[in-house]
């Protein structure tokens, strides 16, 4: 996704953001996160002071990472990490099974 912003002084900047999904392979708080993508490859991204990371992020969690280019580098930095949790409850009454599913997207504000 491309986003173009114009500052009050009239300077335009364009930022390309990318979303990547995968499973957290390693997580070094404040430094980096490595994902295993659906095709089996791994990719590592830089975490900086602007990255928004859920407080309860752990290895093994399936996440979506939104990245932005690091200024003056070919590396990508994490802009935001989000994940979805699903709770399913099943109960049987009068021979019928009733299933309730609750889905919630988690992220740090």
């Amino acid at each position: 996704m491309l986003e173009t912003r114009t500052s009050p002084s009239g300077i335009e900047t364009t930022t390309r953001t990318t979303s990547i999904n995968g499973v957290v392979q390693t997580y070094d708080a404040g430094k980096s996160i490595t994902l295993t993508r659906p095709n089996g490859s791994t990719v590592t991204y830089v975490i900086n002071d602007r990255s928004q990371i859920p407080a309860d992020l752990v290895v093994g969690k399936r996440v979506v990472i939104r990245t932005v280019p690091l200024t003056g580098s070919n590396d990508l930095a994490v802009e935001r990490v989000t994940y979805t949790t699903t709770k399913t409850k099943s109960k049987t009454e009068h021979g019928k099974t009733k299933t309730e599913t609750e889905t919630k997207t988690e992220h740090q504000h």
Side-chain angles (χ1 to χ4, degrees):
M1 177 174 93
L2 288 177
E3 178 181 353
T4 302
R5 292 183 182 180
T6 304
S7 71
S9 62
I11 298 172
E12 267 191 13
T13 57
T14 301
T15 304
R16 178 181 296 276
T17 59
T18 307
S19 292
I20 296 91
N21 65 48
V23 176
V24 178
Q25 187 72 33
T26 63
Y27 171 55
D28 190 356
K31 295 182 181 178
S32 67
I33 185 169
T34 301
L35 296 184
T36 300
R37 295 187 288 195
N39 67 4
S41 66
T42 58
V43 62
T44 301
Y45 299 103
V46 174
I47 294 173
N48 61 23
D49 59 343
R50 298 175 69 189
S51 301
Q52 296 177 16
I53 311 291
D56 61 348
L57 183 66
V58 293
V59 170
K61 190 169 284 283
R62 180 168 300 283
V63 298
V64 175
I65 292 182
R66 197 165 135 183
T67 63
V68 292
L70 275 173
T71 304
S73 172
N74 289 329
D75 292 334
L76 295 174
V78 173
E79 181 180 56
R80 174 179 287 193
V81 174
T82 58
Y83 60 88
T84 302
T85 57
T86 303
K87 293 180 184 178
T88 303
K89 293 183 199 176
S90 294
K91 63 181 178 180
T92 304
E93 290 181 11
H94 310 291
K96 294 184 181 181
T97 301
K98 181 180 177 185
T99 303
E100 294 177 15
T101 302
E102 176 186 331
T103 301
K104 186 165 102 175
T105 299
E106 303 284 343
H107 61 85
Q108 179 181 1
H109 297 281

